[in-house]
Amino acid sequence: MKNYRIKEIMAKSYLESLLKENDFDMIESAKKYKIDVKIIDTLFPYDKERNQYELLKIFYNDIGENVLTKFYNEIIDEDISFYEKILEAFFILFELLYKYKKGLIYLSTSFNKKFRNLIALNNLNHEFMFKLLKICGDQDNFFKLNLKALILNIIYLKNLNLFLSSKDITLETIMKNLDRDLKNTFNSNFLFNNT
């Protein structure tokens, strides 16, 4: 089994343990999936907290790649506006995250956890937003694309914070907020337009 696949398996196993409100044991998880413990020790040589942070980054990266692939396949033949493409990508992203909401809320229960997780998310999300803009056909220069990615990342993190603030926040509420926030951004005509 390839190392990247082992990392994905361990990251999903970590999130699944959070959903079940179980403590995550990396060695037990490796045995469950018949992965050599020596490989696990090589891929995750840190202490428990740092290893879980690495697993979280792998999880978020995997989610991002899955969203971009699904999004590309859905919009490739669609004749929709730039705004609608961005909104659709956000919808797909939150639909995937919704499956893991309980575990992600647990990871955001304290300020320290939330801060650490947002730091992990920030760099990964910036790269995700940059790729999303390119897939949507944005031809702006590198500097402008980075500014746009930063703005989209702020919108995303704002809504993710709301999403994780309570078990009662619905996907529909998030979708409405995303729609409003993106409309405000596009209507401001600063960097974005709806072409």
Side-chain angles (χ1 to χ4, degrees):
M1 190 180 306
K2 303 276 186 193
N3 286 350
Y4 72 88
R5 182 70 186 123
I6 292 170
K7 288 179 177 181
E8 287 174 357
I9 289 168
M10 297 308 290
K12 284 187 179 165
S13 179
Y14 172 54
L15 263 291
E16 286 167 6
S17 73
L18 293 178
L19 289 172
K20 295 174 186 171
E21 298 180 358
N22 294 334
D23 285 331
F24 178 70
D25 185 320
M26 194 173 289
I27 302 304
E28 287 303 313
S29 186
K31 289 176 183 175
K32 176 182 173 184
Y33 291 102
K34 298 180 173 86
I35 299 169
D36 187 343
V37 174
K38 290 178 185 173
I39 294 172
I40 295 299
D41 288 340
T42 303
L43 296 175
F44 302 100
Y46 312 110
D47 60 70
K48 180 180 178 178
E49 189 172 306
R50 175 62 194 238
N51 283 335
Q52 289 178 352
Y53 177 74
E54 291 299 317
L55 290 169
L56 186 61
K57 288 194 328 189
I58 293 163
F59 169 77
Y60 280 124
N61 190 56
D62 189 43
I63 287 281
E65 296 299 319
N66 288 336
V67 167
L68 291 173
T69 301
K70 183 176 181 184
F71 170 69
Y72 179 79
N73 291 332
E74 285 186 13
I75 62 113
I76 189 67
D77 296 322
E78 294 286 324
D79 185 25
I80 57 177
S81 69
F82 187 71
Y83 164 79
E84 290 169 319
K85 289 177 184 177
I86 299 291
L87 186 61
E88 179 64 24
F90 276 135
F91 284 1
I92 293 169
L93 179 56
F94 274 96
E95 284 171 354
L96 274 174
L97 289 174
Y98 190 76
K99 291 189 235 178
Y100 300 97
K101 184 175 182 179
K102 185 177 177 184
L104 294 172
I105 286 174
Y106 171 77
L107 288 171
S108 303
T109 53
S110 72
F111 177 77
N112 286 343
K113 285 181 183 177
K114 189 177 272 193
F115 181 74
R116 186 187 69 201
N117 297 334
L118 285 177
I119 297 249
L121 277 173
N122 189 49
N123 289 336
L124 292 172
N125 285 332
H126 187 79
E127 185 178 332
F128 170 83
M129 297 305 170
F130 193 91
K131 288 178 181 178
L132 173 62
L133 289 164
K134 293 301 283 180
I135 290 171
C136 289
D138 198 314
Q139 300 297 317
D140 277 339
N141 64 43
F142 186 75
F143 180 73
K144 278 189 174 178
L145 280 171
N146 272 298
L147 281 176
K148 288 180 179 181
L150 178 65
I151 291 166
L152 292 178
N153 200 13
I154 290 168
I155 291 169
Y156 169 69
L157 290 174
K158 173 189 169 221
N159 284 282
L160 181 67
N161 191 42
L162 175 63
F163 181 66
L164 298 178
S165 65
S166 167
K167 292 177 185 174
D168 299 327
I169 301 291
T170 65
L171 204 49
E172 186 177 288
T173 301
I174 296 301
M175 301 308 183
K176 285 179 185 174
N177 282 349
L178 283 168
D179 187 30
R180 185 194 64 238
D181 291 346
L182 283 173
K183 273 184 185 160
N184 289 340
T185 301
F186 276 74
N187 288 340
S188 73
N189 289 324
F190 174 71
L191 292 175
F192 292 93
N193 58 42
N194 195 13
T195 56

